[in-house]
Structure formats: C-alpha cells, structure tokens
Amino acid sequence: MLSGETAAGAYLIRSVTIMDKIIRYTEGTERYRKNPPIDLELGHTTNTIARRRWPAARACRRSARWPSTPARAGSPGSSATTAWRVPIYAFTPNASTYQSLLALYWGVTPILFTAASYEGSSIFIDLDKAILRRGLLAEEDRIVIAFGYPLKDHKSVNLLKLHKVGEKPPARGLWHDHAMTRLSRRRVTTGLAALAAGCRVGAPPAKRTVVDAPPRAVPPLTLVTYNVLADRVRVSERLPPLLELLARADADVIALQEVTDWIARLIHEQPWARGYYASTIGGRRAHPGGQYILSRRPILRSSAIELAGRQRRTAVLSTIEAGGVELTVVTTHLESFLEDGPTRARQLDQIFERLQLEDDATLLGDLNFGDGEPEEARVPAEYVDLWRALRPDEPGFTWDIERSEMARVGSFPGEPSRRLDRIYLRSQRTRGRSIEIIGDQPVHPGRRELFPSDHFGLAATLEPVSGS
C-alpha cells in the first residue's frame, strides 16, 4: 500500500519516511537477523552465488564483497535482495549501467571503474588500487569477490574468491587460464562489487554486532550557481562570455536557472561540457522549469519537484557520488514578485521537507529574497548560508542595480540591490572554504549596460571537515 502511495499518491515524503522506519525496525530485530528473506530461485547460478556470499563474508568476517557480472546488473541485484549486513560496492566501467541500473538497487553503492586490462589477475590489482584510492578499505582488509568466469564469455556470476586487499596474485593458476584473454571495456558493464564488515587480518575475532561505519569525508568540491537569463537580450554578445565564464570556473557542480532548450544546446556544444554528467529524468537530459544541473561527479539519480505558486516554479534534485559519499544538490528559482514572500516560504518548506531524507545536501539557486526578509526564517538552522559564514561583512549583492543596467531595468519599482542568489549547505562531513561572486564584469569593459546575465553568479569551494 505504501509503495503504491509513493508511485501515485499525494503523500510521497510521508510514505517513504514511514517505509524507512518500518524497514529499519524490522531489520533490527533478532528474528529478521536469524531468518533473512529466502530467495526461492536458487536454481539460477547468480542467485545461488549471491546467497552464498553472506555466509562466506560472515564466517570469515570479511571487510568487503565484490560481485562481477558482465553486461548486466544481476549480481549486485541479487546481492541487494539477500539482506547484507555489510556494504556492497558495485564497480562498472559503463556509465549507463552505473546510472540506470546499479543506482536503483537497495544497499548497493555503484562506482565507475576502468581497469588497465581485463586479462589475467591484473583486474584484481586494478581493483585494489581503486579501493585504496577511494578510501573504501585498507590494505590487508579481507573481502569476498564474486564474478562470472571466464569474463570474456559473458558468463553469469559463478565464482567466489576470498581476497585480501593488496595481496600479490599467484604466479600461476586460475587467473592465467587461456580463457582469460583481453576483454574490451564495452563488454564488461557491471564489473565487481564489495561487502565490508570491518575486520583486519590478524585482529582478534570481533563480536557479531552490527555497527554503523563512520561517515566518509566528502572530497573538495567546487560549486557554481548562476541564473543565465532565458531572454534573448543581445544573446550573441552576452552568451559567449557566459559560456567562457563557466569553462573558467572549472566547477565540479554547476547549477543553472532559466535554462531553455536553446541554451542547453549551446552549453552541450562546448568542448568543456563533454566532461559533465547532466540532470537526467525519464532517460533524457532535463531542465524542468529552467533548472539544470551539470556535474563532473557521477549523477546517481535526478528528480524534479513542482512548487506551489502561480509561476509554476520547480526544483531539480540530483544526487552525486563524491568519493563514495552521496551529496544531494538542489537548484531552484523561487517565485519572483516582491509580494510573493508567503509563496516563497511554502516553496522552501517543500524543498526542505524533501531533503529530510538526505544525509548531505546543498541548495543553490536564485531564491528571490534578500537579507533580513521573512523567508530566511524558513531555512532550517542546520543549513549554513555560505556567503554569510565566509564573508559576513560584505553585502554579496547578486542583483546589483547600482553596477548593472540590466538589473536596474529588470527591477521592480522601489526594489534595492539584493542578495538573491545563495548557496546553503547541510553536512557534517564538509564545509565551505571560500565563496566569490562571478559574472560581475561587463561584457564591454567600462560599460555597465550589458553583462553575461542580469544576475551575478556564485562560486564556492567545499572542503572536508577535519576528522570526518
């Protein structure tokens, strides 16, 4: 009933919250731990292996588990249905598998991974390097690996390997079988996955209790938010500098507002844009209501919220993978009229209610209210306003009618310069290191009538919190 409500009902957030509570309670009971769900399709090799990984990991107190299934996500999917008590990491070199399949499995963390070679035992060397580089495990942690052998034959999962991170592969044996010849990157789409229950080799036996892993640190990230102005006002003059500005920003995440189809096309014609994932909804790049997110980090999933109000505003949410940590990025363009403060307050309520389910989140965009206005009170206390935190003595106007003739012409009667564009952050793992205004230089030096947009943008850098 609750699953149906999440698909077609009016109380999506409440339904998911209740489902989360039910699942957490159920999985915490002794009865569930002793009697996990039974897979009745054990005749299938993949399911059989998936069911055997958990006893192997539990008996050996493994630190992690990797399944591998060329061309499909069957192994991580089977693993996700067998109630693992340790994390599952699914490695794949295929972006479409990463985004459209692996990200949908409960309990599976997908990771994009490219091996230098897919022959012999070198795949395990490359895996170890990827594991250590991302900080997922430490050397000599023990893991359970499962994959389809031989890889080149596109096999379903049929093999378990107990592995120690960093161990030297045997000189001869299974991995030097003639069948393990070089494999093209295209053929291996799901790759390997992992299950971590935190045990070092040589450590005394641990008590069999479920312990939450410490939170991982979000790596340094640069964020940009910019309202690019959908109007075709002198577009041939202002759009090239705007696109060049985004290229120079070299940001990990770019959140844009007022993006139209023609602006999106121009963006994706730029060479620098090839290095970015884009917010994708329903299998297509999407900028509903003009909100658009680009990310150098893989985007796990994206969705949109229709906000209250006459102007049919939206918010776009994209969850990105950053060093094994998920960060939910939200961009929006709130109701614009001066008298619409109550509507903006309701819109903020909608966004922050949705973000209650996320551990780490940032809201950035054109919020259309200035300092000291009532809408600020609707922002939860745990969200840090990066401009106020890092540059408290500077006004930070991004709608500056004194400097920009475009802003002055577009302003409401009696409207002053205001700080309409903001970046809020809620995280125990990362914090703001710096923030600056961008796009505040006129297209033609010394002439204030034309800027890349009528708004100025913001660029911020996040850094890990010490000890996180």
Side-chain angles (χ1 to χ4, degrees), residues 127-139:
L127 264 177
D128 284 349
K129 290 178 181 178
I131 294 163
L132 296 171
R133 185 172 63 250
R134 290 173 170 82
L136 300 175
L137 298 166
E139 285 199 37

Side-chain angles (χ1 to χ4, degrees), residues 221-388:
L221 291 172
T222 52
L223 311 176
V224 162
T225 180
Y226 206 175
N227 182 325
V228 297
L229 182 59
D231 294 344
R232 293 181 178 267
V233 176
R234 299 174 68 174
V235 68
S236 62
E237 293 178 77
R238 69 178 185 85
L239 256 296
L242 188 152
L243 295 169
E244 176 61 28
L245 187 154
L246 294 178
R248 290 199 312 269
D250 197 31
D252 292 297
V253 177
I254 301 174
L256 304 175
Q257 303 85 49
E258 294 199 26
V259 173
T260 61
D261 288 341
W262 62 271
I263 291 177
R265 283 195 299 271
L266 283 174
I267 289 172
H268 288 287
E269 288 172 0
Q270 308 306 306
W272 58 264
R274 297 171 190 162
Y276 285 85
Y277 299 90
S279 50
T280 302
I281 301 173
R284 301 179 61 183
R285 288 197 295 238
H287 46 86
Q291 326 314 326
Y292 202 31
I293 294 175
L294 301 171
S295 173
R296 277 216 178 96
R297 309 281 178 167
I299 295 179
L300 306 180
R301 53 193 172 272
S302 295
S303 60
I305 304 173
E306 289 189 15
L307 302 177
R310 296 170 296 171
Q311 294 181 303
R312 305 192 65 174
R313 301 295 192 173
T314 62
V316 168
L317 304 84
S318 290
T319 300
I320 67 169
E321 187 276 325
V325 174
E326 293 187 4
L327 174 67
T328 298
V329 179
V330 185
T331 189
T332 191
H333 184 190
L334 299 185
E335 209 85 354
S336 60
F337 293 100
L338 293 178
E339 65 272 19
D340 284 332
T343 300
R344 285 188 289 272
R346 292 198 301 274
Q347 293 170 341
L348 288 169
D349 290 345
Q350 286 180 266
I351 292 170
F352 289 120
E353 180 186 4
R354 170 61 181 81
L355 289 177
Q356 288 177 358
L357 301 175
E358 310 298 339
D359 291 331
D360 298 270
T362 179
L363 169 63
L364 58 172
D366 178 0
L367 304 190
N368 268 323
F369 60 85
D371 290 310
E373 296 182 28
E375 295 92 306
E376 285 189 316
R378 305 306 274 265
V379 179
E382 62 266 27
Y383 282 84
V384 177
D385 181 337
L386 293 188
W387 187 271
R388 278 284 160 259

Side-chain angles (χ1 to χ4, degrees), residues 65-79:
R65 187 195 76 338
W66 273 260
S68 164
T69 51
R72 60 202 198 100
S75 176
S78 300
S79 301

Side-chain angles (χ1 to χ4, degrees), residues 87 89 196 211-216:
Y89 301 100
V211 179
D212 289 337
R216 302 188 188 282

Side-chain angles (χ1 to χ4, degrees), residues 151-172:
L151 285 173
K152 79 177 190 69
D153 286 349
H154 222 61
K155 293 285 188 179
S156 296
V157 173
N158 58 16
L159 190 144
L160 283 175
K161 180 181 187 294
L162 305 183
H163 179 71
K164 185 193 301 181
V165 176
E167 73 178 341
K168 186 177 180 181
R172 302 290 303 171

Side-chain angles (χ1 to χ4, degrees), residues 39 41-57 65-69 72 74-82 84 144-149 155-162 195:
D39 187 345
E41 299 180 5
L42 293 179
H44 192 287
T45 304
T46 299
N47 291 333
T48 304
I49 293 294
R51 292 290 293 169
R52 292 301 93 203
R53 287 179 207 149
W54 170 237
R65 187 195 76 338
W66 273 260
S68 164
T69 51
R72 60 202 198 100
S75 176
S78 300
S79 301
T81 64
T82 52
W84 298 98
V144 178
I145 299 176
F147 59 94
Y149 173 80
K155 293 285 188 179
S156 296
V157 173
N158 58 16
L159 190 144
L160 283 175
K161 180 181 187 294
L162 305 183
L195 197 16

